[in-house]
Amino acid sequence: MGLLSHRVGRNEIKPGDHIYTWRTVFTYSHHGIFVGGSKVVHFTPEHNWIGNLSTEAMTNSNPTTGIPSTCPTFPDCGFRQLNSGVALSCLDCFLGKGSIYLFEYGVTPQVFLAKVRGGTCTTAQSDSPEIVIHRAMHLLQNGFGNYDVFQNNCEDFALYCKTGLLIAERLGMGSSGQASSVIGAPLAALLSSPLKLLMPSPVGVATVTAGVYCMSRYATDIGVRSDVVKVAVEDLAVNLGWSRSTEEEVDEGTSDEQMVI
Ligand SMILES: [Zn+2]
């Protein structure tokens, strides 16, 4: 596939790798962290299960764990905490019918700019596989905030697991190439809309704007921009205001009682 993407075989991926697959006839990509044992940790819209499972299928699954009951291989496939979009799926369910692509880290700016489509590489360096897997498994247990296709999506999740980097100002645009620029955002919206079914070649649309798109994408790549901070996974919830509201409710329950010493 040359410069456009880095397609790999199943035996080529290693634990800690950031992998992705194209969905719906190449119009968008879904990202995850391969953690070994044929399992992938990935971030999904909470009520829109990735793959071929409908909302009804989720409702029919175990209500406490959210485990869908349709995976033929692993009984624990699709595990996630309640109210969390971070899920553990087997490779087959993650990929659907798609191929595996490897998200590249530490590429040169020249290679980065040569990529036509967003979300296939970054100039940022990856941390060690052990740290990457630790972040992914921690977030599987603690969540990654609310899914937002433009500000907090599956690619942002994987990028964070690999680098520990977050955009300091999270009120702005996300760090990922899927929605990282003025050109990119409308393009991403266009490609994810039902109109894509009418377009014979979505790739052609991407190519037309590639020049401007890549330059603006480069300016927002987390390996280039200066307003990124390294955040330990244990501090993530505090830094982003994701502390669980249930903890506050517990506090309220005990605050009415006077402590007498
Ligand atoms: Zn599965």
Side-chain angles (χ1 to χ4, degrees):
M1 295 291 283
L3 285 172
L4 290 180
S5 61
H6 191 180
R7 185 173 173 174
V8 294
R10 285 174 181 247
N11 57 354
E12 294 180 73
I13 57 175
K14 301 178 299 296
D17 275 352
H18 173 173
I19 59 173
Y20 63 99
T21 185
W22 293 104
R23 292 183 179 274
T24 321
V25 201
F26 270 50
T27 53
Y28 76 100
S29 53
H30 186 60
H31 298 244
I33 298 294
F34 181 65
V35 294
S38 299
K39 294 292 176 60
V40 180
V41 175
H42 56 122
F43 190 45
T44 69
E46 212 173 291
H47 300 293
N48 182 16
W49 191 255
I50 202 69
N52 55 9
L53 295 175
S54 64
T55 311
E56 288 72 25
M58 285 303 297
T59 309
N60 292 334
S61 64
N62 186 319
T64 55
T65 61
I67 296 173
S69 54
T70 53
C71 179
T73 315
F74 297 97
D76 63 338
C77 184
F79 168 83
R80 61 191 182 123
Q81 297 289 347
L82 198 60
N83 298 324
S84 170
V86 184
L88 182 72
S89 296
C90 74
L91 198 54
D92 287 329
C93 289
F94 174 80
L95 294 174
K97 291 182 172 62
S99 302
I100 309 172
Y101 296 88
L102 191 64
F103 197 101
E104 296 170 81
Y105 284 79
V107 302
T108 63
Q110 288 75 19
V111 169
F112 184 88
L113 289 171
K115 303 274 183 177
V116 172
R117 298 179 65 92
T120 60
C121 66
T122 177
T123 59
Q125 296 288 340
S126 170
D127 287 321
S128 72
E130 291 76 21
I131 295 175
V132 173
I133 293 171
H134 168 72
R135 289 190 185 118
M137 298 311 288
H138 182 90
L139 295 173
L140 178 65
Q141 295 300 326
N142 296 277
F144 191 63
N146 295 320
Y147 188 99
D148 184 312
V149 68
F150 291 123
Q151 293 190 19
N152 197 36
N153 60 34
C154 57
E155 188 179 351
D156 294 314
F157 172 81
L159 281 167
Y160 173 74
C161 288
K162 288 291 280 186
T163 65
L165 296 174
L166 283 179
I167 307 300
E169 180 52 85
R170 286 294 295 231
L171 294 176
M173 289 183 175
S175 58
S176 75
Q178 288 200 357
S180 62
S181 71
V182 175
I183 299 295
L187 181 64
L190 176 66
L191 293 180
S192 63
S193 76
L195 284 172
K196 65 177 179 280
L197 297 172
L198 302 174
M199 298 193 300
S201 175
V203 177
V205 175
T207 307
V208 168
T209 56
V212 181
Y213 182 50
C214 286
M215 284 308 294
S216 55
R217 197 161 59 79
Y218 179 70
T220 56
D221 181 50
I222 60 171
V224 175
R225 57 193 294 170
S226 58
D227 58 340
V228 293
V229 287
K230 196 113 175 174
V231 180
V233 69
E234 287 80 7
D235 298 333
L236 202 55
V238 176
N239 275 279
L240 296 179
W242 293 341
S243 297
R244 301 226 169 142
S245 56
T246 51
E247 292 173 8
E248 294 166 14
E249 289 166 14
V250 171
D251 289 338
E252 288 172 11
T254 56
S255 61
D256 290 336
E257 297 177 20
Q258 291 290 328
M259 293 295 289
V260 180
I261 299 177

